[in-house]
Amino acid sequence: MNKILSRSVLIAAACGLSTTASAAQWTMATPYGDASFHTKNVKQFAEDVAEATGGELTINVHSGGSLVAHGEIKPSVRRGTIEAGEIFLSTLSNEDPIFEVDTLPGVAGSYEEAFELWQATKPLITELFANQGMMPLYAVSWPAQGIYTDFELNDAEQFEGLRVRAPNINTQRFVDYLGGNPTETEESDIPTAFSTGRVDAMITSSSTGNSMTAWDYVSHYTDANLWLPKNIVFINQRAFDRLDEATQEALLEAAARAEERGWQMSRDDNQASLEALQQNGITVSEPNEEVAEALQAAGNRLFSAWEDRAGEQAQQVLEEYQQQRQD
Ligand code: PCA
């Protein structure tokens, strides 16, 4: 054994690694906590990768924004400070309107449609990530978004002046159009936002309401089926290129499985979360006609504002998706 090799074997032994000295250790950051099904899925993905590569690649997942704040995850992966990240895709809307096409009402209102929309937008999204030296691995939808309030929402006037927590800019616009006062708040900051009285209500999914114990702050969930927004998991391209071919293949294969598993987890978690909300005393109902009309009107405005902002490419992708749906 030559000197350099014997040294790296020694280092590997010192680090407790049972694999070869060339084994890669990746760092991954996600803003979502361990109670989220997305985080459970990505941790399973990391385990699958370690197993399939015999430890040639290990991915250490740092959840709940503990290592990198949400807004810094993509820049960090781009720079290569960390190798992998997960984010709420629509938070990239200031870069390109295609990223927020899954937070528009009336575009995809079911899991089937949301998945088709992902397939339709994937090539352009992949290209935009590639332009910045990154590669998407998979994307998984949250359950449909609805509205949490501490009163029964039965009148559109109730939105007037209501301080509503929203997870992205488009949802803030939506709240604004309804007459409310939107505040962008990270999922992990939801408890503080309510307990300090910064917000009265929030827009999110059954899943986030459940994992953030919404019953501590609100009493009603209006299951409005607004839209099904996605998280995306992506990596630094150079880090990928440094892996040998077999490891690359194993990684991509595990990612494909994570995507499939994740969409199913989302459906299951939606059911389980709706039950958990009710068991903990939250009244779950669909919007009444008047509220539904107000949501529809705000949604229409949101959609036309998006069309005005969207470039030709993004509009074309949406048209192709809509065309496919009609066929
Ligand atoms: N949960 C995340 C994003 C959408 C969702 O359902 C959140 O509210 O921050």
Side-chain angles (χ1 to χ4, degrees), residues 104-106 174 177-178 227 293-305:
L104 295 174
F174 187 67
Y177 297 159
L178 287 165
W227 47 79
E293 268 173 32
L295 297 176
Q296 180 78 43
N300 291 346
R301 243 181 109 180
L302 198 64
F303 190 78
S304 24

Side-chain angles (χ1 to χ4, degrees), residues 257-321:
R257 267 188 291 146
E259 178 159 291
E260 207 183 321
R261 182 177 58 233
W263 283 76
Q264 188 56 46
M265 284 174 94
S266 183
R267 289 169 193 257
D268 296 345
D269 198 77
N270 181 37
Q271 290 310 321
S273 292
L274 287 171
E275 275 167 35
L277 290 173
Q278 292 176 84
Q279 272 162 14
N280 285 285
I282 292 204
T283 307
V284 177
S285 60
E286 287 182 11
N288 68 17
E289 216 170 296
E290 201 224 330
V291 171
E293 268 173 32
L295 297 176
Q296 180 78 43
N300 291 346
R301 243 181 109 180
L302 198 64
F303 190 78
S304 24
W306 182 85
E307 279 193 311
D308 291 344
R309 263 193 324 277
E312 218 174 280
Q313 241 181 338
Q315 292 222 25
Q316 206 182 327
V317 169
L318 181 61
E319 273 165 30
E320 278 165 19
Y321 156 79

Side-chain angles (χ1 to χ4, degrees), residues 32 88 142-143 145 165 167 185-187 190 203-205 208 229 231:
Y32 300 102
F88 191 39
W142 290 90
Q145 306 291 288
R165 174 270 168 181
T185 313
E186 282 301 319
E187 187 203 61
I190 288 174
I203 294 188
T204 186
S205 57
T208 292
N231 274 8

